[in-house]
Amino acid sequence: MAILRGFTPFSKPPKLHHFSQSRVLIFVKSLISVHKSISRGSSIIHNAIRPSSISKAATFAFPETENKVRLSEELCKETEETLEWPSICAQVSSFASTAAGRAACQRSGLPSGQDRAESQKLLDQTAAAALLPQALDFSGIEDVSDIVRLAVAGELLTVRELCTVQRSLQAARRVLQDLERIGESSDRFTPLLEILQDCDFMTELVENIGYCIDCTLSIILDRASATLESVRLERKENMEKLDTLLKEVSVSVYQAGGIDSPLITKRRSRMCVGIKASHKSLLPGGVVLSVSSSGATYFMEPRDAIELNNMEVRLSNAERTEELAVLGFLTAEVAGSETRIRCLMEKILELDFACARGAYAKWMNGVCPAFIEDFEKIDSERDGNNLLVDIEGIQHPLLLEPFLRSLSPVPKQQAGAAKMLSQSDQAMNSGKVFEGKAPVPLDIKVQNTKKVVVISGPNTGGKTATMKTLGLAAIMSKAGLFLPARNTPRLPWFDQILADIGDHQSLEHSLSTFSAHISCICKILEAASEKSLVLIDEIGCGTDPSEGVALSTSILQHLAGCVSLAMVTTHYADLSLLKATDSRFENAAMEFCMDTLQPTYHILWGSTGNSNALSIAKSIGFDQEVLDRAQQWVQRLLPDKQKERQGLLYQSLLEERNCLEAQAKEAASILSEVKKLHFEINSEAEDLDNREAALKAKETKSIQQELRSVSSRMDDIIKKFEKQLENANPDQFNSIMRVAEAAIASIVASHSASGSMLTEETEYHSTYMPQVGDKVYVKGLGDKLATVIETLAEDGTAMVQYGKIRIRAKRNDMKPVNNVKDIFNRSIPPLKEQRRFAQRVIVAENKDDDSTFGPAVRTSKNTVDLRGMRVDEAALRLQMAISECKSYGVLFVVHGMGTGAVKERTLDILRSHPRVAKFEEENPMNYGCTIAYIK
């Protein structure tokens, strides 16, 4: 290969030396045959140790294990089809960026973790992809597996195919560079960087293709080899000579009348001129290459052009030979890089899957699930959080899709991705339940000690949908997908999800409904392990109820001892009694509203549900006479009206539960408001502390600078005084001392308290005019230091600010700060006193003492400032603020004084607005501010 490429490690990009056509083809074929031999040898070694060979060899020793593995794979595949996992993969395919990624998702090829660590790795990749500030650019990456396979098989790749390989490798490198640039600022993207960390991007192969081929024009460049460059140069010179000769001959023939106009053309791959048949004697020794259809025109090759045409044919063949040599060299390079190219494309596919999962998570507002290990179960039991499965507010992704699509359509969404879950749960996706609304969220909470969950309830109540949602959540978690739920879903890592849902009746295989049902359960019992999740719909149905209950009880007791969790649905009330005798069992019921005769699709844990067959039949419109007769039979079968008492007790428990839930929500809302208010008050207090510390630091720095300045001036005066004493006569001592004393007195006078600070407060108040930026002590603020932010108004008041508190104060209540030291002569109240004072200033009086409204504490979030606006603009802003204000909230409307137009318009709106329950006009503590109470 080094001889063919003809370069040393320090040479320029490789050029092909001149080889004859036969030698080049023989050499390329030998390279490909050697590569195929190596590949064949490696495949022999691989086949010798591949898992299938091992499993086949192990079949003789462990035939039962091999059959169990095969059975598990078949059941897991059937379960994925039953739970409609392919539809979830089709949803994810809409977010894939590469053609290979979309095709793999549509084939249900979304990778799934084979153990807990691998699934956690997939979840970490999804979390990192969901945090990407922008989508990665996968454009230019194409599926080159077929091209590589052709190269390995010995087929000569075309220029276009080689350019495709080059573009894909370059685009893969750009993806890594983009990811590295994004990951410079944070370690959160490390799981994505690890995918491409050790990949070989085959820079040398990319450079060789780019050096030999211009992919923009799809041509082989002259520099690809020295021979090719020489041949093309020689051919160009030969064509120039041939063209010049033919032009001269055609012109002479035209001038002799042998043709109507000069004509140069190509016939049989040779250049020639056109001439009339009657004048062919004008070209003695010429060769007739072709004749026109009418026979009137001959296409002749002049005698002098024969050798030039022969040279053109030879050079054209030589050029093609050299081009084939270049393509053969590059093909061999691609074939030799087969393993590295396939590895890189697999890593790119893995990164595309991760980005697709991240985009899918953001689209459905999903949250990352957490896996529970055995040691975590023990810790959770110790801490009181004894839940094996803790999923709150989960929604089925396929039922959620129509709602999300109406909000933000998915690009290239696959048609039919959201199929109906089953005939028994069609009502959950019907217009009666929600039309344009999100599906009802489910809370799935199973304790650690429970192994079997028995769900009962009415038909079309959502039992099967609940079971499918749990199964699908387990599969999605294993595959690294986020769940459309709230908080952090917690569930175990299940090695298998096995389900028997639906009717497996088959006339072809002579299976009835019951036999097909039992056959499937038999396979599940054989394949299940201690880490499996088993889902069975309508267990024991299709046969005599007494035998069905007995068989179902035995199956459930067996499952309780051999699987991690089993969830079944049933209409047999006797199965719900197992909880009383076996602590491993748990009951759950689907809620049914007796008032509307409609299911609510809420699951009630620890309860037993009724089938409500007669109620559902009545809501459908069944004949009342038939229903009355059925009710009589119910009363005969259930003496002493036990069923009715049970129903009344159930309804009373539901009402009590609803009441408690409402009270809990109200208490949670009040607690949230109190926490929010507490946080805002603490923020205000901390802000006051920060301002106090900053002011102290600033004034301290100013005083220190002033002291340094005074000290420097005093030093200058003393030095000057000493120097004058040395050179002065005794008679001049008095005058020198007077000058020095005057200089010192001027410094003392400039840094002493002004006379106005020592006068009576009433005298100063009569002369002081506050200016914007002045520091003043305000009597209404407890002599706190404030800043003037507005000049004196006509009514003799000015706006001052203390921290975030703004009030209007009279001129007589303000005393300016003329001495910097005076700031520190006043004690600063502690933090608690500031908080109490801030609340005392801001809290407005509630005249009606209505406890339904929130506390009247003014913050930046509940204040609307209308000052400086026009009347119409202020009215629009106030109406928007009232609309945005939450119910039973307090709104502070700052309108100022000015001309009073904004204030009058504000009061008119507050009087007429339907959401305003009452309002309090401005007072001395809230000057220019009206407080509105919003319904």
Side-chain angles (χ1 to χ4, degrees):
M1 184 66 71
I3 296 175
L4 180 61
R5 292 164 64 181
F7 72 101
T8 62
F10 302 99
S11 64
K12 294 180 180 180
K15 293 187 179 182
L16 293 175
H17 289 287
H18 175 63
F19 284 89
S20 64
Q21 182 177 5
S22 59
R23 289 183 62 192
V24 170
L25 294 179
I26 291 173
F27 187 74
V28 172
K29 289 183 178 179
S30 66
L31 285 177
I32 296 176
S33 63
V34 169
H35 180 76
K36 291 173 66 176
S37 302
I38 295 174
S39 301
R40 193 180 306 113
S42 62
S43 64
I44 292 173
I45 297 174
H46 177 70
N47 291 336
I49 62 174
R50 65 182 178 181
S52 59
S53 302
I54 296 175
S55 57
K56 288 182 179 178
T59 303
F60 299 99
F62 307 101
E64 295 181 357
T65 303
E66 174 68 18
N67 293 335
K68 184 175 180 179
V69 171
R70 187 182 300 109
L71 179 61
S72 298
E73 293 177 352
E74 293 177 358
L75 288 177
C76 289
K77 186 175 181 180
E78 292 178 2
T79 298
E80 290 179 355
E81 294 289 338
T82 301
L83 299 180
E84 300 186 78
W85 171 245
S87 298
I88 301 297
C89 293
Q91 286 183 343
V92 179
S93 69
S94 301
F95 300 91
S97 300
T98 64
R102 288 189 292 270
C105 289
Q106 291 169 1
R107 294 193 305 267
S108 302
L110 205 61
S112 180
Q114 300 303 313
D115 53 31
R116 182 187 181 277
E118 188 173 348
S119 295
Q120 188 60 51
K121 179 181 177 182
L122 295 175
L123 288 173
D124 293 340
Q125 293 175 357
T126 305
L131 296 174
L132 286 172
Q134 59 186 15
L136 297 178
D137 184 11
F138 288 89
S139 60
I141 299 179
E142 301 182 30
D143 187 3
V144 296
S145 56
D146 293 338
I147 297 176
V148 175
R149 185 169 58 252
L150 290 175
V152 173
E155 297 288 338
L156 198 65
L157 299 182
T158 64
V159 172
R160 189 178 299 275
E161 291 170 339
L162 290 170
C163 289
T164 300
V165 174
Q166 183 198 32
R167 283 195 305 271
S168 298
L169 296 179
Q170 289 176 334
R173 179 65 180 173
R174 285 196 303 271
V175 170
L176 176 61
Q177 292 173 348
D178 293 344
L179 197 55
E180 288 176 342
R181 185 176 63 258
I182 295 174
E184 289 178 352
S185 58
S186 175
D187 296 335
R188 296 178 297 178
F189 306 104
T190 302
L192 299 180
L193 285 169
E194 290 177 349
I195 298 177
L196 301 178
Q197 189 173 14
D198 299 326
C199 289
D200 184 0
F201 293 91
M202 288 150 284
T203 307
E204 184 179 353
L205 175 60
V206 173
E207 291 178 352
N208 288 345
I209 296 176
Y211 185 81
C212 297
I213 298 176
D214 184 352
C215 290
T216 304
L217 302 177
S218 297
I219 60 173
I220 299 177
L221 298 174
D222 296 347
R223 65 188 182 188
S225 73
T227 304
L228 180 61
E229 185 177 8
S230 175
V231 168
R232 286 183 173 176
L233 180 60
E234 187 176 357
R235 185 183 177 191
K236 179 180 179 182
E237 295 175 352
N238 183 73
M239 281 298 298
E240 290 177 352
K241 294 178 182 179
L242 181 59
D243 187 61
T244 302
L245 174 63
L246 293 179
K247 286 182 179 179
E248 293 176 354
V249 171
S250 62
V251 169
S252 62
V253 170
Y254 167 71
Q255 292 175 350
I259 194 69
D260 294 336
S261 61
L263 175 62
I264 300 175
T265 185
K266 195 172 189 178
R267 290 291 186 273
R268 293 163 57 183
S269 300
R270 301 176 73 87
M271 300 299 296
C272 57
V273 297
I275 190 172
K276 294 180 181 179
S278 58
H279 292 72
K280 72 174 184 176
S281 59
L282 294 175
L283 299 176
V287 178
V288 178
L289 298 179
S290 179
V291 182
S292 65
S293 58
S294 63
T297 303
Y298 283 4
F299 299 98
M300 296 184 65
E301 179 182 12
R303 179 177 55 191
D304 297 338
I306 293 177
E307 183 59 30
L308 293 176
N309 268 325
N310 291 339
M311 179 63 70
E312 170 63 21
V313 172
R314 288 195 298 270
L315 293 176
S316 177
N317 292 335
E319 181 183 4
R320 181 58 183 165
T321 300
E322 289 301 320
E323 290 177 349
L324 290 176
V326 173
L327 294 178
F329 161 69
L330 296 177
T331 300
E333 287 279 298
V334 173
S337 305
E338 175 199 7
T339 303
R340 291 180 294 169
I341 293 177
R342 292 188 184 277
C343 179
L344 177 60
M345 290 298 108
E346 289 175 359
K347 293 295 184 179
I348 289 294
L349 184 61
E350 181 180 355
L351 181 60
D352 187 24
F353 281 149
C355 293
R357 295 195 303 268
Y360 180 68
K362 290 194 292 186
W363 174 67
M364 68 173 181
N365 196 24
V367 293
C368 182
F371 294 115
I372 299 178
E373 287 288 1
D374 294 335
F375 66 87
E376 294 178 353
K377 300 177 186 177
I378 299 175
D379 294 340
S380 63
E381 289 178 357
R382 187 184 302 114
D383 298 338
N385 182 22
N386 54 344
L387 291 179
L388 176 67
V389 178
D390 185 7
I391 305 177
E392 183 177 351
I394 188 171
Q395 297 169 302
H396 198 290
L398 299 183
L399 297 180
L400 187 62
E401 181 190 17
F403 171 71
L404 294 178
R405 193 189 301 172
S406 64
L407 297 179
S408 57
V410 180
K412 301 179 182 178
Q413 187 70 27
Q414 300 297 326
K419 299 186 293 184
M420 299 301 293
L421 288 180
S422 65
Q423 294 295 330
S424 61
D425 291 297
Q426 286 182 353
M428 287 194 70
N429 200 16
S430 64
K432 295 182 179 179
V433 181
F434 65 94
E435 184 175 357
K437 298 181 180 179
V440 178
L442 299 174
D443 294 337
I444 304 177
K445 298 180 181 292
V446 182
Q447 296 180 354
N448 277 333
T449 57
K450 306 302 180 181
K451 292 293 185 178
V452 180
V453 177
V454 179
I455 303 179
S456 57
N459 295 302
T460 71
K463 299 189 301 296
T464 306
T466 300
M467 192 166 55
K468 281 188 172 184
T469 302
L470 175 60
L472 199 55
I475 296 178
M476 292 174 66
S477 300
K478 289 183 63 178
L481 289 173
F482 284 12
L483 304 181
R486 295 192 299 268
N487 300 328
T488 301
R490 297 172 60 85
L491 70 166
W493 185 87
F494 299 107
D495 60 348
Q496 300 178 97
I497 295 91
L498 309 174
D500 174 30
I501 299 175
D503 190 357
H504 300 281
Q505 182 186 41
S506 174
L507 297 178
E508 179 181 359
H509 298 90
S510 300
L511 291 176
S512 65
T513 299
F514 178 74
S515 59
H517 177 60
I518 293 301
S519 176
C520 185
I521 294 179
C522 180
K523 295 178 181 179
I524 290 176
L525 295 179
E526 182 179 353
S529 68
E530 60 182 7
K531 291 186 177 181
S532 298
L533 171 64
V534 176
L535 308 171
I536 302 177
D537 188 29
E538 301 293 350
I539 185 171
C541 66
T543 186
D544 180 77
S546 59
E547 294 183 357
V549 170
L551 182 60
S552 300
T553 302
S554 178
I555 292 173
L556 295 181
Q557 289 177 341
H558 176 76
L559 288 174
C562 66
V563 300
S564 177
L565 179 64
M567 181 174 287
V568 300
T569 65
T570 184
H571 287 285
Y572 294 148
D574 293 336
L575 295 182
S576 300
L577 301 178
L578 294 174
K579 178 182 178 180
T581 58
D582 194 335
S583 61
R584 298 174 299 175
F585 284 76
E586 177 64 284
N587 292 332
M590 302 308 299
E591 187 179 37
F592 187 84
C593 181
M594 298 301 296
D595 297 332
T596 61
L597 300 180
Q598 293 291 336
T600 63
Y601 307 109
H602 289 120
I603 187 168
L604 306 175
W605 292 95
S607 302
T608 302
N610 299 324
S611 296
N612 294 306
L614 299 183
S615 300
I616 295 175
K618 181 179 180 180
S619 65
I620 294 176
F622 216 79
D623 187 359
Q624 186 61 40
E625 183 179 353
V626 176
L627 294 177
D628 294 340
R629 190 178 298 112
Q631 185 64 37
Q632 295 175 2
W633 279 106
V634 169
Q635 293 176 356
R636 294 179 184 178
L637 295 175
L638 296 176
D640 300 331
K641 297 184 180 181
Q642 178 182 358
K643 197 70 174 181
E644 182 178 355
R645 291 198 301 270
Q646 181 181 358
L648 293 176
L649 177 60
Y650 177 71
Q651 290 299 321
S652 64
L653 291 176
L654 283 182
E655 293 176 359
E656 184 177 357
R657 188 205 66 171
N658 294 335
C659 181
L660 293 176
E661 285 183 352
Q663 294 176 358
K665 290 181 179 179
E666 183 179 358
S669 177
I670 296 175
L671 178 61
S672 175
E673 291 294 331
V674 171
K675 287 183 177 180
K676 183 177 179 181
L677 180 60
H678 179 264
F679 174 77
E680 291 181 358
I681 293 177
N682 281 342
S683 299
E684 298 284 349
E686 290 175 2
D687 185 67
L688 291 176
D689 293 340
N690 295 335
R691 288 174 177 270
E692 174 189 339
L695 182 60
K696 281 185 177 181
K698 181 179 178 180
E699 296 300 336
T700 301
K701 184 178 179 181
S702 177
I703 292 174
Q704 290 175 351
Q705 291 178 353
E706 189 174 355
L707 289 175
R708 285 194 296 268
S709 176
V710 171
S711 177
S712 176
R713 293 174 62 184
M714 292 293 292
D715 291 340
D716 293 341
I717 294 173
I718 293 172
K719 290 179 181 179
K720 183 178 179 180
F721 177 74
E722 291 175 351
K723 186 176 180 180
Q724 289 176 347
L725 286 178
E726 292 176 358
N727 301 325
N729 298 324
D731 297 336
Q732 298 175 342
F733 286 172
N734 292 332
S735 61
I736 294 174
M737 290 180 63
R738 285 194 298 270
V739 172
E741 288 174 354
I744 294 174
S746 65
I747 294 176
V748 173
S750 63
H751 292 86
S752 61
S754 60
S756 59
M757 290 293 293
L758 303 177
T759 59
E760 292 296 330
E761 185 175 348
T762 56
E763 296 177 358
Y764 190 85
H765 291 169
S766 61
T767 60
Y768 174 67
M769 295 297 293
Q771 301 295 328
V772 175
D774 286 354
K775 300 292 184 179
V776 295
Y777 294 108
V778 183
K779 182 178 180 181
L781 291 176
D783 286 344
K784 297 298 186 297
L785 184 64
T787 304
V788 179
I789 60 175
E790 285 185 7
T791 58
L792 201 64
E794 296 178 356
D795 57 352
T797 61
M799 180 70 71
V800 297
Q801 180 171 352
Y802 171 65
K804 290 189 176 181
I805 303 172
R806 295 183 177 184
I807 65 171
R808 281 195 171 272
K810 296 182 179 180
R811 180 167 58 89
N812 295 335
D813 293 337
M814 292 185 290
K815 184 170 67 174
V817 178
N818 291 338
N819 191 348
V820 177
K821 296 180 180 180
D822 188 49
I823 298 172
F824 300 99
N825 292 334
R826 296 174 177 267
S827 60
I828 299 175
L831 178 61
K832 292 183 178 179
E833 182 180 348
Q834 292 184 20
R835 292 180 181 174
R836 289 195 300 269
F837 175 73
Q839 294 178 6
R840 185 171 68 252
V841 172
I842 300 175
V843 175
E845 297 179 356
N846 193 345
K847 296 181 180 179
D848 296 335
D849 194 20
D850 192 349
S851 60
T852 59
F853 292 97
V857 179
R858 178 178 173 184
T859 64
S860 58
K861 296 182 179 180
N862 64 356
T863 302
V864 55
D865 194 348
L866 306 180
R867 292 174 297 179
M869 300 182 183
R870 296 181 180 274
V871 175
D872 295 339
E873 183 183 0
L876 179 60
R877 179 69 183 91
L878 176 58
Q879 291 176 352
M880 293 176 60
I882 295 175
S883 301
E884 294 172 357
C885 186
K886 60 186 179 181
S887 299
Y888 299 106
V890 181
L891 183 64
F892 289 81
V893 184
V894 181
H895 45 69
M897 295 300 297
T899 61
V902 175
K903 176 182 177 181
E904 292 299 327
R905 181 59 175 158
T906 299
L907 296 179
D908 292 341
I909 294 176
L910 295 179
R911 292 190 189 99
S912 59
H913 201 287
R915 290 200 63 196
V916 178
K918 61 180 181 178
F919 63 89
E920 297 176 0
E921 296 189 25
E922 57 185 352
N923 54 59
M925 301 307 295
N926 288 288
Y927 201 78
C929 176
T930 299
I931 305 174
Y933 296 85
I934 308 302
K935 296 180 181 179

